[in-house]
Every structure is written in C-alpha cells, then in structure tokens.
Amino acid sequence: MGAVLKILSPGVFSSLQDRGRLGFGAYGVPRSGAADPVGLRIGNYLLGNDAFETAIEFRFLGPKILIESGSVRLALAGDATADLLLSENEEPVKISPWQTVRLNEGDILSVMPLTKGATGYLALEGGFDLEHVLGSCSTYARAGLGGVNGKNLQQGDCLSARLDHPREMIEKIVKHPPTYGEAPLRVLLGPQDDYFSDETCAAFEVESYRVSSDVDRMGIRLEGAALAPLPEKGSDLVSDGLVPGAIQIPGSGQPIVLFVDCQTIGGYPKIATVITADLHHLGQVVPGSSIRFRIVTPDEATAALTEREQLVQQIENSVVDHFGEGFLDLKALYQSNLIAGVVNAKSSGHFPGHLEENSHETD
Amino acid sequence: MDIRILTVGDAAFTIEFPNLEGVSGARQVAALRSRVQEKIKAGQLSGIVDIISASRSLTICLDPFVADYKFLQTAVATLAKQKLSLAKRASQLWRLPACYEGEYGPDLEEVAERSAMSTQEVVALHSAREYELLQIGFLPGFPFLAELDERLRFPRRASPRVRVPAGSVGIANAQTAIYPWESPGGWHLLARCPVPLFNPLWDRPSLLDTGAKVTFEPISSKDLALLQQDLSRGRLDPHSFAVERKEG
C-alpha cells in the first residue's frame, strides 16, 4: 500500500498534469499537460522521478495536503513558500520554494500563494498511483478525462502514492531556479499571417499587450491596439487545426494566445504561433502584466530550443543538498529562544513558549 | 491537386486544399490522412505525434526534439499533391434519436419563425437529411455534420449561451452538430440526443468518425427519458445506433 495524501483545500484550479494527451486530435481531444513543462521537470528532477511524471499543478495558490497514511517526499516547484505543520503540532516549519520536503503521517503541507508567475507544481517521489486515460493522467475536466475522477482537485480527494515511504536522502533545493522575465515571446508567423498586412504584422511585433484577467489553461486574452485583418479576408475562415501557442485574432482584433487545453480546431485567423522554446513561459503569465512578441525564423526557433534545454540543464545542475530550516534546527531555535515574539497568524492567541495551552488547535 | 502549406509554429504545419470545401474537402483530407498513416506505419515518417483533420486541411503535429520539420513538410506535401484514392471511405450510417419537443429544442420556434415555416416543417427538414461527418473538434467527440437544408441556414446566435446541455443538437450556417459535453455554445438548439458520443474506454473514443453518415430520428420526450435511462445503465450500447447497410 502506498502512502495516501488527502486534499484539505485544493488551492486554485489545481489539477494533475503530465506531458499531456497526444494522438487524439482527430477526435477533438485537447493536448492538456503541464502549463509549465519546465517547472514540472524541475520538480521531478529534485526527486529523481521521470521528467514528466504526473504532479499536482496549481494556479496562483497551492493546495493544503494532509498525509493520511505512510510517508512521502514532495518537491515544491514554483515561487511559493509552504508551511509544514508537523503532526505533533509544533510551530509550522517554513518550506522554501524549489525544495524537497519529507512528510510523515499526520503532517500537513500548506502551500502559500505564488509570489511570481502563475503556475507551480507539487511533485511526489515515485509518483502518484493513477490510471492513464488515452495515454495520459492529465486532467481535462470538461470531458472528465484523467486526474481524480476527471475533475480538478476537490476538497477531500485522496491520492495514493506508488511508494509507501520515501528513500533515505538529504533534502534538495534548486540554487538557481527558473526566472520569469519580461523577454518578448518568440513566434513564427503563420498559419494565417496572409490575413494581415505587413504593417499589421509589424505592429504586432512592436505593440505591448496587457494580459487581461481572462487567463487559464484554455487561453490567454490580451488587450492592446486591435489587429485588423485585411478587409477582403475578414475574421472568419474555414476552421483548421490549432496548437497551444497559436495566437488567434477574433473579430475584436484583441489577440488570444491559445494554451494547453485549447480546442483542436478553430475558425479565427491565427497571425503567429509561439515557438516551443517559449511555450512554458505562457504557463507563468499573470493577469495585468504585459507581453510582447518577437518574430523569429525557423532556424532561430530550433536554436532557441537547444538553448532552453541548456538552461534546464543548468537549473538541474544547481540542485544542492538542503539542510536548511529543518525540524531539528527548529527545536534548537525554540530552546535558545531565538524566535520569541513571532506570532502565528493562524492562531492569533498563540505565542511561542505557550505551546501546551494551544495544543487543541488544529486546522 | 492545389495545396497550400501553412506554418503552425516550429512543431506543426497544415496542408490545406484551398479549392475544396464541405464534403469534397473532408473526403480529400481523410484520403491524405490515411496515406500519411500508411507512411508512418511503414516507418517512412518519424516524429509525428498527432494529426488533426479539419474540413479542408490536415494539421501535422511533431515532436520538435525528434522530427525533421522540413523533411516531413516536403514529404506530406508531396503526398497531398498526388491523386489520392477516395474509394476506401467508411460510410457507416448512424440513426440517432433526437427529441425536438419543448425544452429540448429551445430555439426551434425562433428558427421556424425566421424561416417562415411551422416547427413541424423544421423538424421534418432537419430529420429528413442524411448528413456527412466532416470533422470532429471544438470538444472531444463533437461532430460537424453537413449539409443542412438551405432553408434552415442561419449564422450562430448573436450572444452565445453560457451553458448548452450535453446532448444538445444545434444548427449553424450549413452544418448541424451534437454537443457531447455541457459547454458554452452559439449554435441554435433544435433537439436533444441521448446517445453519448465519447468515451475514453472505447476502442475508438469517439462514437462517430469522419466520413460517417448521420440521420436524426424524432422521438418523444418519454422515449428520450427511457433511452437516457437504458444508456446510462448500460442496457443499451451506443454503438447499436449504427445501421448496417450495403456499400453503394
């Protein structure tokens, strides 16, 4: 029997994601898969998992998880901290972003909101015990595929681990995690760049777009100067195939960057498509930020992908042992009274040094 | 055959037949698709991870780490320019029950009004035709069926519904379709079909495939309820709505 993880609070749009569901486009099945495959890979790398092992993907705010039985090791991949509440109800231990952590039965991990980016991952050593649906464990809720019962994570869901306890190892942390810069997203023109004048295509590259609040796994709606198609072409075309990263221009002229859960065919012209090397950045796009595009050549796209893989390698090479703010250290801190005066926000009447009086408090 | 080659990023391209439309386009696309699949099986095209069929174009998706983009593009374009055999079309006929009554056909009266016909005439026209499945998309298993009687052709609703119930049968322009899942949608809704169209556990997850023929058989709301019950309890196999017929 593997360890069991119970979702006390699911966070925001938390789902299970892996590489995605490929090969069923002919039946209208979206690709799905990790919104930020680089984040997923780093999380799995920290644990020695396969690169695309299924992990919990969360958007903006992560879940709160109780270890109901057994022990596990999780990796937090994303710019969020977490509180680890040990079963014996001591002060929460702060977990840094991009580190592994071991949890035993009764422990609770509560992931805080992301401070940067939009997507984070909780990967599990050895992976979750899930069924593949059409070749993938990725959740696609609209058609009830993958994940837990085909749905995004819900309060009370229980997930089984393949392992019942983690390996003995020193925890790991990424020293140089990925950065989410403001660099323009690189695109190849097409498939319908012929629907737009050269001036419009040039404007598309110069313009800075504001990311609207409408950002999810299906698409990212942008706001800015409208891009009008050539009058003789219009905004309607005979529907053709779509891929994540395609930038469609509906009648309003405001671009929509299609994303991992996008439909397989569509009838709006697509001025350009984000290159594979930059697709993972789409997973970290935050409402209210700005986006720019840069048109590149196919050769540049290929070179960019090689470069990105080198970057992932560098990030992986920066993984080091993490002794950090471990549990033992915390006890030492209590004894030397170094953290007096710190108030626990979760139980406002709780001051360090008065643990016993509050021992009935649980979440 | 005239073709256009469209770039869809660094991991996909589309081959379009610009002079074809509707049923003739979809047949050409299906023929090209089966040629590409033969070549993949023969080990002559590697790195293709998915193929999306639309009504007059085929989109080939690649693994950019493995595939040789230019080689594949040239190879598939060469196949597309050849005369393709359209003979081996599967033409399975499906007779799908559809309830046009009351709440199940919320736009029936409006369509009747706009086409200056009675609702019975609209039902008769919609259910008299044998449609051909041009493409599956928008949602898993969502079939685009053509061609609708000219008298029933209207653009999509000006304001799409936020929630279209699963099983809704809609019309838009020259096509009719069935929503396999609850979703937002802008088609005019004429009826409700109880037959599930998609199940990941089936050999082919979509009940219908491109090239299939579909007719709608009007049923009462009472029959709809009975069929829904039988289908959900597994007493009736959705595949049993396929009608055997001789090639002709």
Side-chain angles (χ1 to χ4, degrees), chain A residues 61-117:
Chain A
L61 172 64
K64 185 173 176 181
I65 295 175
L66 163 73
I67 306 308
E68 203 159 63
S69 69
S71 312
V72 301
R73 178 172 286 111
L74 295 169
L76 178 56
D79 280 322
T81 60
D83 282 347
L84 171 61
L85 299 163
L86 300 173
S87 55
E88 56 262 37
N89 201 22
E90 291 183 40
E91 275 295 291
V93 179
K94 269 283 174 226
I95 303 301
S96 311
W98 304 100
Q99 75 158 89
T100 64
V101 56
R102 185 191 160 114
L103 290 93
N104 298 317
E105 191 169 313
D107 291 351
I108 292 172
L109 188 73
S110 190
V111 181
M112 300 292 127
L114 290 165
T115 51
K116 270 179 272 166

Side-chain angles (χ1 to χ4, degrees), chain A residues 19 21-31 41 133-134 140 142-145 188-192 194-195 233 237-243 246 263-265 270 273-277 298-299 301-302 305 308-309, chain B residues 4 6-12 14 16 21 33 49-57 59 61-65 70 135-142 144 181-184 198-202 204-206 208-210:
Chain A
R19 185 193 294 271
R21 196 166 275 115
L22 283 165
F24 300 93
Y27 303 126
V29 181
R31 189 174 294 193
R41 284 166 65 182
V133 178
L134 301 177
Y140 174 64
R142 189 169 300 282
L145 303 180
L188 287 177
L189 281 176
Q192 277 89 33
D194 61 324
Y195 272 60
K233 292 282 196 180
L237 69 132
V238 177
S239 295
D240 65 358
L242 300 177
V243 297
Q263 59 198 69
T264 51
I265 51 177
K270 297 159 287 291
T273 308
V274 178
I275 63 173
T276 308
D299 286 343
T302 306
L305 190 55
R308 191 198 72 180
E309 287 309 297
Chain B
R4 293 178 67 222
L6 311 176
T7 302
V8 190
D10 58 341
T14 293
E16 182 184 273
E21 58 179 332
R33 183 189 181 96
V49 294
D50 209 350
I51 308 176
I52 304 168
S53 299
S55 67
R56 68 167 180 194
S57 63
T59 298
C61 303
L62 320 171
D63 178 347
F65 292 103
K70 280 178 195 152
Q135 60 187 0
I136 300 170
F138 173 58
L139 292 166
F142 186 100
F144 289 83
W181 312 98
E182 180 184 307
S183 83
F198 188 93
N199 186 329
L201 301 177
W202 293 336
R204 186 182 65 214
S206 173
L208 314 174
D209 205 356
T210 49

Side-chain angles (χ1 to χ4, degrees), chain B residues 100 126 129 131-135 142-148 168-178 187-188 190 214 216:
Chain B
Y100 295 81
H126 185 259
R129 286 249 170 149
Y131 302 102
E132 182 161 328
L133 201 165
L134 302 187
Q135 60 187 0
F142 186 100
F144 289 83
L145 303 163
E147 289 185 333
L148 196 63
S168 296
V169 179
I171 57 170
N173 301 311
Q175 297 182 355
T176 183
I178 310 161
W187 294 41
H188 300 275
L190 299 188
V214 175
F216 291 100

Side-chain angles (χ1 to χ4, degrees), chain A residues 47-72:
Chain A
L47 300 164
N49 287 349
D50 287 345
F52 287 95
E53 182 62 58
T54 311
I56 295 174
E57 176 180 296
F58 57 91
R59 305 275 288 167
F60 309 107
L61 172 64
K64 185 173 176 181
I65 295 175
L66 163 73
I67 306 308
E68 203 159 63
S69 69
S71 312
V72 301

